[in-house]
Amino acid sequence: MPEARDRFGELIHSEEDDLGQVRVYEGDGRRILTFGNHIEQSCMHLARPWQLEHAYTQGMMLGLLLHKDIRSALVLGLGGGSIVRALRHARPKLRIDAVDYRMAVIRLAQDYFELAPDSALRLHCDEAERFIEHDRSTHDLIFTDLYLAQGAHEAQQSTAFLASCRERLSEKGVLMINRWRGTQQESDIARQAISDAFGDRVLNLHIDGGNQISFCFNGELPMIDHRRFFADAQKLGLQLGIPLQRLARSFWRQNAAVLQLRRFPVRE
């Protein structure tokens, strides 16, 4: 395997905290954050900082089309701030709280990844579980992308944590969970935790490369007009420079049975 500097470009910053290394690379018009390994934790296009470079973050933007009146969002797992930059570009008036346990990551997001807090963006250095437990505000969208150098954070497989996230959702709020393909046992545990917290109010999107996004609804599953959904995805995709309509069509196909039943319920 080639050295990280060959894969990611020039190493422009490196430091270490209690949880290990944090590195920033730059090359081919992109800036990349890693946790000292060969996995991209975050990637920013230098000319278009709002453009999401990873397919799973692109898929999470469908959440913007699944809630009709979005005023606030909570991002658990800041990384280099890709999701936050995209949200701010797509919805400039959105109030955003973003949480990361590592102060080094928050600082690098500001210094190297064009993430400047202001009246609409608050950055919090805290554990996701502790923040969710003590924060009393509610949010229309919650994004959980909690990963360490070794893999997924155990909180994303915890019924108690996911139930706490649900308590922080507005009435029609949506929780989006980035789930990386792990062992079958890890997948089963995560699926069961989501089911325990949200019941059958869950839709999923499988992404090429191994990620799966779970869309978990505090209220009933949405009634989606697929033609309008595709058109809105095309518009938002053009705004963000991502193939969102293609992802919307995949989302519809993968959940067609449930979504069609919502539109045309069986009458007893």
Tab-separated table of all heavy atoms in Angstrom, residues 1-37:
chain	number	residue	atom	x	y	z
A	1	MET	N	0.857	-1.198	0.000
A	1	MET	CA	0.000	0.000	0.000
A	1	MET	C	0.890	1.244	0.000
A	1	MET	O	1.840	1.333	0.761
A	1	MET	CB	-0.897	0.003	1.243
A	1	MET	CG	-1.832	1.209	1.301
A	1	MET	SD	-2.928	1.138	2.742
A	1	MET	CE	-3.957	-0.238	2.268
A	2	PRO	N	0.598	2.241	-0.857
A	2	PRO	CA	1.441	3.440	-0.907
A	2	PRO	C	1.296	4.254	0.354
A	2	PRO	O	0.323	4.162	1.087
A	2	PRO	CB	0.878	4.202	-2.121
A	2	PRO	CG	-0.534	3.718	-2.249
A	2	PRO	CD	-0.489	2.277	-1.833
A	3	GLU	N	2.300	5.066	0.591
A	3	GLU	CA	2.240	5.949	1.743
A	3	GLU	C	1.102	6.948	1.578
A	3	GLU	O	0.703	7.293	0.468
A	3	GLU	CB	3.566	6.706	1.889
A	3	GLU	CG	4.738	5.822	2.275
A	3	GLU	CD	4.575	5.206	3.644
A	3	GLU	OE1	4.011	5.877	4.530
A	3	GLU	OE2	4.986	4.058	3.823
A	4	ALA	N	0.561	7.433	2.726
A	4	ALA	CA	-0.580	8.348	2.686
A	4	ALA	C	-0.252	9.608	1.903
A	4	ALA	O	-1.099	10.164	1.221
A	4	ALA	CB	-1.017	8.696	4.108
A	5	ARG	N	1.000	10.060	1.966
A	5	ARG	CA	1.345	11.297	1.276
A	5	ARG	C	1.232	11.110	-0.235
A	5	ARG	O	0.971	12.052	-0.958
A	5	ARG	CB	2.746	11.759	1.661
A	5	ARG	CG	3.859	10.838	1.217
A	5	ARG	CD	5.227	11.428	1.557
A	5	ARG	NE	5.360	11.586	2.981
A	5	ARG	CZ	5.869	10.651	3.783
A	5	ARG	NH1	6.252	9.476	3.275
A	5	ARG	NH2	5.984	10.860	5.077
A	6	ASP	N	1.411	9.869	-0.730
A	6	ASP	CA	1.250	9.595	-2.146
A	6	ASP	C	-0.221	9.559	-2.536
A	6	ASP	O	-0.598	10.012	-3.601
A	6	ASP	CB	1.911	8.259	-2.510
A	6	ASP	CG	3.411	8.289	-2.274
A	6	ASP	OD1	3.992	9.359	-2.435
A	6	ASP	OD2	3.979	7.240	-1.916
A	7	ARG	N	-1.046	9.037	-1.681
A	7	ARG	CA	-2.475	8.913	-1.976
A	7	ARG	C	-3.192	10.251	-1.855
A	7	ARG	O	-4.036	10.589	-2.677
A	7	ARG	CB	-3.138	7.920	-1.009
A	7	ARG	CG	-2.789	6.467	-1.247
A	7	ARG	CD	-3.630	5.584	-0.363
A	7	ARG	NE	-5.066	5.803	-0.617
A	7	ARG	CZ	-6.024	5.279	0.120
A	7	ARG	NH1	-5.723	4.536	1.165
A	7	ARG	NH2	-7.291	5.502	-0.169
A	8	PHE	N	-2.891	10.997	-0.813
A	8	PHE	CA	-3.678	12.175	-0.482
A	8	PHE	C	-3.030	13.497	-0.892
A	8	PHE	O	-3.688	14.525	-0.873
A	8	PHE	CB	-3.953	12.211	1.030
A	8	PHE	CG	-4.754	11.038	1.524
A	8	PHE	CD1	-4.443	10.449	2.737
A	8	PHE	CD2	-5.819	10.536	0.793
A	8	PHE	CE1	-5.196	9.367	3.207
A	8	PHE	CE2	-6.564	9.470	1.250
A	8	PHE	CZ	-6.253	8.873	2.466
A	9	GLY	N	-1.779	13.475	-1.239
A	9	GLY	CA	-1.097	14.708	-1.613
A	9	GLY	C	-0.068	15.106	-0.570
A	9	GLY	O	0.479	14.280	0.164
A	10	GLU	N	0.188	16.395	-0.476
A	10	GLU	CA	1.202	16.910	0.439
A	10	GLU	C	0.642	17.040	1.851
A	10	GLU	O	-0.459	17.566	2.062
A	10	GLU	CB	1.672	18.283	-0.037
A	10	GLU	CG	2.716	18.931	0.874
A	10	GLU	CD	3.032	20.351	0.462
A	10	GLU	OE1	2.469	20.818	-0.549
A	10	GLU	OE2	3.839	21.002	1.161
A	11	LEU	N	1.385	16.565	2.828
A	11	LEU	CA	0.998	16.721	4.228
A	11	LEU	C	1.249	18.169	4.638
A	11	LEU	O	2.375	18.655	4.609
A	11	LEU	CB	1.826	15.782	5.109
A	11	LEU	CG	1.568	15.856	6.618
A	11	LEU	CD1	0.157	15.405	6.954
A	11	LEU	CD2	2.593	15.010	7.372
A	12	ILE	N	0.178	18.896	4.999
A	12	ILE	CA	0.339	20.318	5.346
A	12	ILE	C	0.151	20.567	6.839
A	12	ILE	O	0.471	21.653	7.328
A	12	ILE	CB	-0.618	21.208	4.540
A	12	ILE	CG1	-2.081	20.856	4.817
A	12	ILE	CG2	-0.316	21.102	3.051
A	12	ILE	CD1	-3.064	21.815	4.150
A	13	HIS	N	-0.351	19.583	7.573
A	13	HIS	CA	-0.463	19.744	9.020
A	13	HIS	C	-0.602	18.372	9.666
A	13	HIS	O	-1.283	17.491	9.152
A	13	HIS	CB	-1.671	20.600	9.399
A	13	HIS	CG	-1.773	20.820	10.887
A	13	HIS	ND1	-1.091	21.824	11.533
A	13	HIS	CD2	-2.456	20.145	11.852
A	13	HIS	CE1	-1.362	21.769	12.837
A	13	HIS	NE2	-2.186	20.756	13.047
A	14	SER	N	0.045	18.215	10.825
A	14	SER	CA	-0.067	16.983	11.591
A	14	SER	C	0.069	17.307	13.072
A	14	SER	O	0.908	18.125	13.466
A	14	SER	CB	1.032	15.989	11.186
A	14	SER	OG	0.945	14.807	11.957
A	15	GLU	N	-0.789	16.704	13.877
A	15	GLU	CA	-0.687	16.854	15.331
A	15	GLU	C	-1.287	15.625	15.984
A	15	GLU	O	-1.877	14.759	15.316
A	15	GLU	CB	-1.379	18.120	15.813
A	15	GLU	CG	-2.876	18.167	15.594
A	15	GLU	CD	-3.474	19.465	16.126
A	15	GLU	OE1	-3.479	20.472	15.376
A	15	GLU	OE2	-3.919	19.446	17.289
A	16	GLU	N	-1.140	15.552	17.289
A	16	GLU	CA	-1.628	14.379	18.017
A	16	GLU	C	-2.292	14.826	19.310
A	16	GLU	O	-1.822	15.729	19.998
A	16	GLU	CB	-0.467	13.426	18.319
A	16	GLU	CG	-0.898	12.079	18.861
A	16	GLU	CD	0.221	11.048	18.828
A	16	GLU	OE1	1.235	11.312	18.140
A	16	GLU	OE2	0.081	10.001	19.475
A	17	ASP	N	-3.450	14.205	19.614
A	17	ASP	CA	-4.109	14.442	20.887
A	17	ASP	C	-4.259	13.110	21.615
A	17	ASP	O	-3.613	12.122	21.237
A	17	ASP	CB	-5.458	15.156	20.697
A	17	ASP	CG	-6.458	14.331	19.890
A	17	ASP	OD1	-6.198	13.129	19.644
A	17	ASP	OD2	-7.512	14.881	19.510
A	18	ASP	N	-5.088	13.061	22.629
A	18	ASP	CA	-5.223	11.841	23.425
A	18	ASP	C	-5.780	10.668	22.627
A	18	ASP	O	-5.610	9.510	23.025
A	18	ASP	CB	-6.131	12.092	24.633
A	18	ASP	CG	-5.511	13.050	25.645
A	18	ASP	OD1	-4.273	13.220	25.594
A	18	ASP	OD2	-6.249	13.619	26.470
A	19	LEU	N	-6.466	10.952	21.516
A	19	LEU	CA	-7.070	9.886	20.717
A	19	LEU	C	-6.232	9.510	19.506
A	19	LEU	O	-6.618	8.640	18.731
A	19	LEU	CB	-8.473	10.304	20.264
A	19	LEU	CG	-9.506	10.442	21.382
A	19	LEU	CD1	-10.843	10.890	20.816
A	19	LEU	CD2	-9.675	9.117	22.132
A	20	GLY	N	-5.090	10.168	19.336
A	20	GLY	CA	-4.213	9.796	18.231
A	20	GLY	C	-3.912	10.946	17.295
A	20	GLY	O	-4.080	12.121	17.637
A	21	GLN	N	-3.469	10.613	16.097
A	21	GLN	CA	-3.032	11.613	15.124
A	21	GLN	C	-4.219	12.231	14.382
A	21	GLN	O	-5.249	11.593	14.172
A	21	GLN	CB	-2.082	10.978	14.112
A	21	GLN	CG	-0.737	10.550	14.700
A	21	GLN	CD	0.165	9.958	13.646
A	21	GLN	OE1	-0.293	9.360	12.674
A	21	GLN	NE2	1.473	10.131	13.822
A	22	VAL	N	-4.017	13.474	13.981
A	22	VAL	CA	-4.932	14.172	13.075
A	22	VAL	C	-4.060	14.824	12.016
A	22	VAL	O	-3.138	15.577	12.350
A	22	VAL	CB	-5.775	15.244	13.802
A	22	VAL	CG1	-6.819	15.806	12.838
A	22	VAL	CG2	-6.432	14.689	15.041
A	23	ARG	N	-4.345	14.543	10.754
A	23	ARG	CA	-3.514	15.052	9.672
A	23	ARG	C	-4.353	15.733	8.604
A	23	ARG	O	-5.498	15.339	8.359
A	23	ARG	CB	-2.714	13.914	9.027
A	23	ARG	CG	-1.681	13.279	9.956
A	23	ARG	CD	-0.988	12.122	9.275
A	23	ARG	NE	0.064	11.548	10.110
A	23	ARG	CZ	0.778	10.477	9.794
A	23	ARG	NH1	0.541	9.857	8.651
A	23	ARG	NH2	1.709	10.038	10.598
A	24	VAL	N	-3.755	16.736	7.958
A	24	VAL	CA	-4.397	17.430	6.845
A	24	VAL	C	-3.469	17.342	5.637
A	24	VAL	O	-2.279	17.667	5.735
A	24	VAL	CB	-4.688	18.904	7.188
A	24	VAL	CG1	-5.368	19.598	5.998
A	24	VAL	CG2	-5.554	19.019	8.439
A	25	TYR	N	-4.027	16.902	4.510
A	25	TYR	CA	-3.287	16.796	3.255
A	25	TYR	C	-3.918	17.696	2.209
A	25	TYR	O	-5.106	18.029	2.294
A	25	TYR	CB	-3.315	15.351	2.726
A	25	TYR	CG	-2.620	14.344	3.603
A	25	TYR	CD1	-3.309	13.727	4.653
A	25	TYR	CD2	-1.302	13.981	3.386
A	25	TYR	CE1	-2.697	12.784	5.454
A	25	TYR	CE2	-0.674	13.034	4.183
A	25	TYR	CZ	-1.368	12.439	5.220
A	25	TYR	OH	-0.758	11.516	6.008
A	26	GLU	N	-3.119	18.060	1.210
A	26	GLU	CA	-3.645	18.855	0.110
A	26	GLU	C	-3.059	18.352	-1.199
A	26	GLU	O	-1.852	18.126	-1.307
A	26	GLU	CB	-3.317	20.332	0.301
A	26	GLU	CG	-3.986	21.242	-0.717
A	26	GLU	CD	-3.797	22.712	-0.378
A	26	GLU	OE1	-4.105	23.108	0.767
A	26	GLU	OE2	-3.324	23.461	-1.262
A	27	GLY	N	-3.936	18.167	-2.186
A	27	GLY	CA	-3.480	17.727	-3.493
A	27	GLY	C	-4.631	17.633	-4.468
A	27	GLY	O	-5.773	17.362	-4.077
A	28	ASP	N	-4.364	17.870	-5.747
A	28	ASP	CA	-5.364	17.783	-6.812
A	28	ASP	C	-6.582	18.653	-6.524
A	28	ASP	O	-7.730	18.261	-6.800
A	28	ASP	CB	-5.808	16.327	-7.018
A	28	ASP	CG	-4.678	15.426	-7.485
A	28	ASP	OD1	-3.796	15.930	-8.228
A	28	ASP	OD2	-4.657	14.245	-7.109
A	29	GLY	N	-6.350	19.827	-5.939
A	29	GLY	CA	-7.441	20.755	-5.695
A	29	GLY	C	-8.342	20.381	-4.541
A	29	GLY	O	-9.429	20.946	-4.391
A	30	ARG	N	-7.888	19.472	-3.680
A	30	ARG	CA	-8.691	19.033	-2.546
A	30	ARG	C	-7.871	19.050	-1.265
A	30	ARG	O	-6.651	18.944	-1.288
A	30	ARG	CB	-9.246	17.621	-2.785
A	30	ARG	CG	-10.317	17.566	-3.859
A	30	ARG	CD	-10.661	16.148	-4.250
A	30	ARG	NE	-11.831	16.097	-5.109
A	30	ARG	CZ	-11.828	16.376	-6.400
A	30	ARG	NH1	-10.694	16.727	-6.990
A	30	ARG	NH2	-12.934	16.308	-7.106
A	31	ARG	N	-8.547	19.192	-0.162
A	31	ARG	CA	-7.926	19.126	1.158
A	31	ARG	C	-8.589	17.999	1.930
A	31	ARG	O	-9.819	17.889	1.947
A	31	ARG	CB	-8.080	20.461	1.878
A	31	ARG	CG	-7.190	20.613	3.091
A	31	ARG	CD	-7.140	22.067	3.538
A	31	ARG	NE	-6.331	22.873	2.625
A	31	ARG	CZ	-6.282	24.198	2.645
A	31	ARG	NH1	-7.016	24.874	3.508
A	31	ARG	NH2	-5.500	24.860	1.806
A	32	ILE	N	-7.786	17.168	2.564
A	32	ILE	CA	-8.279	15.920	3.165
A	32	ILE	C	-7.872	15.837	4.626
A	32	ILE	O	-6.730	16.146	4.987
A	32	ILE	CB	-7.726	14.701	2.388
A	32	ILE	CG1	-8.317	14.675	0.971
A	32	ILE	CG2	-8.031	13.392	3.114
A	32	ILE	CD1	-7.637	13.701	0.050
A	33	LEU	N	-8.810	15.416	5.452
A	33	LEU	CA	-8.563	15.169	6.877
A	33	LEU	C	-8.518	13.671	7.117
A	33	LEU	O	-9.391	12.924	6.647
A	33	LEU	CB	-9.694	15.786	7.707
A	33	LEU	CG	-9.629	15.550	9.226
A	33	LEU	CD1	-8.535	16.404	9.859
A	33	LEU	CD2	-10.980	15.861	9.872
A	34	THR	N	-7.485	13.206	7.842
A	34	THR	CA	-7.411	11.802	8.246
A	34	THR	C	-7.094	11.731	9.737
A	34	THR	O	-6.626	12.698	10.340
A	34	THR	CB	-6.326	11.020	7.479
A	34	THR	OG1	-5.027	11.310	8.036
A	34	THR	CG2	-6.329	11.355	6.003
A	35	PHE	N	-7.345	10.577	10.287
A	35	PHE	CA	-6.997	10.319	11.681
A	35	PHE	C	-5.757	9.439	11.759
A	35	PHE	O	-5.681	8.468	12.509
A	35	PHE	CB	-8.174	9.669	12.420
A	35	PHE	CG	-9.353	10.592	12.607
A	35	PHE	CD1	-10.605	10.085	12.889
A	35	PHE	CD2	-9.201	11.971	12.506
A	35	PHE	CE1	-11.689	10.936	13.074
A	35	PHE	CE2	-10.276	12.832	12.680
A	35	PHE	CZ	-11.528	12.303	12.965
A	36	GLY	N	-4.771	9.764	10.940
A	36	GLY	CA	-3.494	9.072	10.982
A	36	GLY	C	-3.487	7.728	10.294
A	36	GLY	O	-2.579	6.924	10.504
A	37	ASN	N	-4.490	7.459	9.433
A	37	ASN	CA	-4.524	6.200	8.699
A	37	ASN	C	-4.797	6.491	7.227
A	37	ASN	O	-4.645	7.620	6.775
A	37	ASN	CB	-5.592	5.255	9.294
A	37	ASN	CG	-6.959	5.933	9.407
A	37	ASN	OD1	-7.273	6.865	8.655
A	37	ASN	ND2	-7.764	5.472	10.353
